[in-house]
Amino acid sequence: MIEYKTDKIFTADQAQDLFRSVGWVSADYPSRLYKALQHSETVVTAWDGNQLVGLARAIDDSELVAFIHYVLVRPSHQGLGIAGSMVEMIKDIYKDYLYIEGMPEDQNNVPFYQKHGFVRMENGAAIQICNYSGKY
């Protein structure tokens, strides 16, 4: 049975292992990743026993808008509804905000968000400055 938590009680190694399992570059910077997660307003984690198998985080301005930035699930646990459950928890936490925005970096993830009630912003586009140079 998967257990969901919002208390940010996980180690840097557990976070790094999860992010590495999905091939995200953030795993290459474990101390920065851990610090970023600990300073995020909302982090929902999914646990299978003592193993961190999923994580979603949101950042917000405390009143109007919240951004869902990370949603990831260990490959061995994908297809079990874990990502959707975490997104629904975040939607509930921010239900009184004017906007909850998803930040999918891959077009292929848009249908997942649409399945959970998100709509494409008319004329919207993702923008980014990447300061990643391969070394930090």
Side-chain angles (χ1 to χ4, degrees):
M1 184 168 100
I2 302 300
E3 181 181 0
Y4 298 92
K5 300 179 183 180
T6 58
D7 55 16
K8 295 190 231 178
I9 299 177
F10 49 84
T11 68
D13 289 340
Q14 288 171 317
Q16 180 186 31
D17 183 56
L18 175 62
F19 277 70
R20 183 168 281 141
S21 78
V22 295
W24 286 11
V25 72
S26 307
D28 294 340
Y29 308 97
S31 62
R32 295 181 80 182
L33 172 61
Y34 184 73
K35 184 177 179 182
L37 292 171
Q38 291 299 314
H39 287 90
S40 297
E41 288 84 359
T42 301
V43 177
V44 175
T45 55
W47 298 84
D48 187 353
N50 291 325
Q51 184 180 38
L52 179 61
V53 298
L55 183 144
R57 89 156 169 177
I59 51 180
D60 68 69
D61 65 8
S62 80
E63 289 294 326
L64 299 175
V65 65
F67 299 92
I68 298 175
H69 187 238
Y70 291 150
V71 178
L72 62 153
V73 175
R74 186 176 297 280
S76 62
H77 288 72
Q78 290 176 3
L80 303 176
I82 295 170
S85 293
M86 292 187 300
V87 167
E88 291 300 323
M89 288 176 71
I90 288 174
K91 284 173 50 182
D92 188 55
I93 291 166
Y94 291 106
K95 66 182 177 280
D96 294 326
Y97 278 57
L98 294 181
Y99 300 100
I100 303 170
E101 297 186 1
M103 300 173 68
E105 295 177 6
D106 184 334
Q107 285 275 91
N108 295 326
N109 293 333
V110 171
F112 166 79
Y113 286 93
Q114 289 174 322
K115 185 171 110 177
H116 291 279
F118 290 82
V119 295
R120 283 185 184 259
M121 287 188 244
E122 188 174 334
N123 298 316
I127 55 174
Q128 177 184 65
I129 293 174
C130 182
N131 290 318
Y132 168 69
S133 64
K135 296 181 183 176
Y136 271 91

